[in-house]
Amino acid sequence: MSNLRTLVFFATPAHDCSYLPDREATTMFVDPRAHVDKRLYSQLTALGFRRSGSHYYRPHCENCNACVPVRLKVDQFQPDRSQRRVMAKNADLTCRMVKATFSEQYYSLYAHYIEQRHADGDMYPPTREQFMSFLVEGATDSWFVEIRDGENLVGLAAVDMLDEGLSAIYTVFDPAYERRSLGTFAVLWQIEEAKRLGLPHLYLGYWIEECRKMNYKTRFRPIEALRDGQWYTMDTN
């Protein structure tokens, strides 16, 4: 059984950064042959690692610390006016958690989202194999949050259950529902689910100050950031 002391890590060669132009990035990966159970995954997440399929990784750039792991303290969270409007706007939708698995319905929503929203990104074009390797393979205690308008699936959020929290992996939604802010709604729902389960944290991945697409994360407060091995509350005023 693998543990933090026995894990072996590998670093990728420098490659173009996915978030900041004109910069190179290096990624540290846990040895894919290691057996990562829920306990070890929880420990890795608290150290700033993320999961993508069966891979556990974190940025390991020599001259850049722009990628900051962030998490929300759910018991202290109070929605702001904008977030309350999002909850009210989506009060007619239903959500439920199901085990992460493949279905044509899930993939259809995923593919439509990537094609409409991220046609200029490295996830385009979407494939079934990509969906499986990203969101289903390697799952330990992994779930999908179905967001439905009546019988119609309009959103799907991938979330992992950890010992001390939930980890928000990825969210897709029907672009026709863009005005509903379903990405924000999915985070708000996961906050309430973590509270219901008695879990203290919701991990939101990495925040990059210079990346506008990540600005939404600091609107969830109080948010904590990991720097130099310590979590501290960010000043987001």
Side-chain angles (χ1 to χ4, degrees):
M1 184 70 66
S2 300
N3 57 58
L4 286 177
R5 289 180 297 178
T6 62
L7 281 180
V8 176
F9 300 90
F10 297 98
T12 66
H15 53 275
D16 290 341
C17 179
S18 300
Y19 300 105
L20 299 176
D22 303 321
R23 296 200 194 181
E24 289 191 330
T26 302
T27 306
M28 177 188 292
F29 281 94
V30 173
D31 185 344
R33 296 168 296 182
H35 174 67
V36 179
D37 60 11
K38 182 178 178 180
R39 180 172 179 272
L40 182 53
Y41 177 25
S42 299
Q43 293 172 331
L44 287 167
T45 302
L47 293 172
F49 282 78
R50 296 286 287 170
R51 182 181 72 85
S52 176
S54 57
H55 299 288
Y56 300 85
Y57 70 94
R58 66 169 297 169
H60 189 63
C61 305
E62 184 175 354
N63 298 309
C64 179
N65 294 305
C67 293
V68 181
V70 291
R71 68 185 186 186
L72 184 70
K73 300 172 73 171
V74 299
D75 61 338
Q76 298 180 28
F77 172 74
Q78 293 293 330
D80 62 20
R81 181 179 300 177
S82 175
Q83 291 161 346
R84 291 195 296 270
R85 285 198 298 266
V86 170
M87 290 191 291
K89 188 185 301 184
N90 293 293
D92 59 325
L93 303 182
T94 59
C95 299
R96 68 163 186 159
M97 287 183 68
V98 298
K99 291 295 292 183
T101 188
F102 178 87
S103 79
E104 285 296 333
Q105 186 180 42
Y106 295 160
Y107 173 70
S108 178
L109 179 65
Y110 171 87
H112 186 46
Y113 175 82
I114 298 297
E115 290 166 352
Q116 295 296 313
R117 302 271 300 192
H118 296 289
D120 59 344
D122 55 11
M123 296 176 68
Y124 181 87
T127 66
R128 289 170 177 79
E129 292 74 20
Q130 177 196 73
F131 178 92
M132 285 291 296
S133 65
F134 178 29
L135 298 177
V136 178
E137 291 178 3
T140 300
D141 194 350
S142 303
W143 302 78
F144 287 157
V145 180
E146 294 182 346
I147 305 173
R148 292 186 179 273
D149 184 1
E151 294 298 317
N152 297 322
L153 182 70
V154 299
L156 190 71
V159 57
D160 286 347
M161 196 86 66
L162 306 173
D163 290 340
E164 299 294 333
L166 299 179
S167 179
I169 302 298
Y170 200 66
T171 299
V172 301
F173 56 84
D174 185 340
Y177 283 69
E178 183 173 6
R179 292 189 176 183
R180 289 210 184 214
S181 303
L182 291 186
T184 296
F185 175 68
V187 174
L188 292 168
W189 191 90
Q190 289 172 66
I191 291 170
E192 293 305 312
E193 182 66 6
K195 288 181 181 179
R196 187 185 71 81
L197 296 170
L199 299 171
H201 300 114
L202 175 63
Y203 289 86
L204 295 176
Y206 301 114
W207 169 74
I208 301 174
E209 186 174 9
E210 298 175 50
C211 184
R212 293 182 59 189
K213 291 182 179 180
M214 295 187 180
N215 287 348
Y216 77 93
K217 297 184 181 184
T218 58
R219 292 198 286 270
F220 295 92
R221 304 171 184 170
I223 195 164
E224 294 184 320
L226 180 66
R227 288 196 185 276
D228 299 322
Q230 298 293 324
W231 289 94
Y232 71 98
T233 301
M234 293 176 59
D235 182 2
T236 56
N237 295 322

